[in-house]
Amino acid sequence: MRKVHGNDSFQRINYLYQISKCMAGKNAGLSSYYGNLIINVAKKNVLKIHPDIKRLVCKKCRCTFVDGVSAKMQLKTNNKRKLMQWRCNTCGTIKSFLLDKDKEQLWLERPEAVVEVIA
Ligand SMILES: [Zn+2]
């Protein structure tokens, strides 16, 4: 097993993400407070937030997206490209991601996107 720089912070981000997700739909203010902490912890320690987490934090109010609770997810087609679109219920910001043409899958979810798995 390889030691990773910032492991404690990754654990903290993971924990904060879970609280933020738990608060989504119950208390939007608290959800965005924890979302804000996630971004700040990552910034302070110069870490990259896991794309799965980053994708689900609103870029404006920093609430955590939970489909049907604090945000709405839709699949759209735009110029033959498939998009996954999240709309924040708190501030109305739209975040969209390009999907693979035929598989309805994000690039990061493809096997070749994983370089190394660290414990
Ligand atoms: Zn928002």
Side-chain angles (χ1 to χ4, degrees), residues 100-118:
D100 232 19
K101 267 179 207 145
D102 11 73
K103 287 182 211 143
E104 298 207 344
Q105 185 187 40
L106 291 165
W107 183 83
L108 271 162
E109 284 159 5
R110 288 191 291 189
E112 66 261 35
V114 179
V115 176
E116 186 187 4
V117 178
I118 34 186

Side-chain angles (χ1 to χ4, degrees), residues 7 16 116:
N7 213 359
L16 288 169
E116 186 187 4

Side-chain angles (χ1 to χ4, degrees), residues 58-63 65 88-93:
C58 175
K59 60 185 173 188
K60 194 176 177 196
C61 68
R62 290 177 177 171
C63 275
F65 295 158
C88 176
N89 280 354
T90 315
C91 68
T93 299

Side-chain angles (χ1 to χ4, degrees), residues 5-110:
H5 158 73
N7 213 359
D8 295 345
S9 309
F10 281 126
Q11 281 171 7
R12 189 161 174 226
I13 289 172
N14 180 15
Y15 178 68
L16 288 169
Y17 171 68
Q18 288 177 54
I19 320 174
S20 179
K21 195 166 184 171
C22 201
M23 283 300 145
K26 288 176 202 150
N27 189 331
L30 266 181
S31 178
S32 64
Y33 171 74
Y34 289 117
N36 221 348
L37 278 180
I38 293 173
I39 311 276
N40 289 343
V41 168
K43 265 190 189 161
K44 197 178 167 197
N45 299 286
V46 206
L47 298 171
K48 279 203 171 170
I49 304 169
H50 192 282
D52 280 347
I53 294 181
K54 202 168 181 193
R55 215 181 288 153
L56 294 176
V57 176
C58 175
K59 60 185 173 188
K60 194 176 177 196
C61 68
R62 290 177 177 171
C63 275
T64 309
F65 295 158
V66 179
D67 190 26
V69 181
S70 61
K72 204 179 161 204
M73 200 271 274
Q74 280 182 313
L75 288 176
K76 288 197 171 177
T77 316
N78 186 2
N79 287 335
K80 289 181 187 167
R81 293 180 312 172
K82 278 185 180 151
L83 291 171
M84 181 166 127
Q85 198 173 72
W86 287 88
R87 191 192 174 89
C88 176
N89 280 354
T90 315
C91 68
T93 299
I94 292 171
K95 217 177 179 185
S96 40
F97 304 94
L98 201 61
L99 295 175
D100 232 19
K101 267 179 207 145
D102 11 73
K103 287 182 211 143
E104 298 207 344
Q105 185 187 40
L106 291 165
W107 183 83
L108 271 162
E109 284 159 5
R110 288 191 291 189

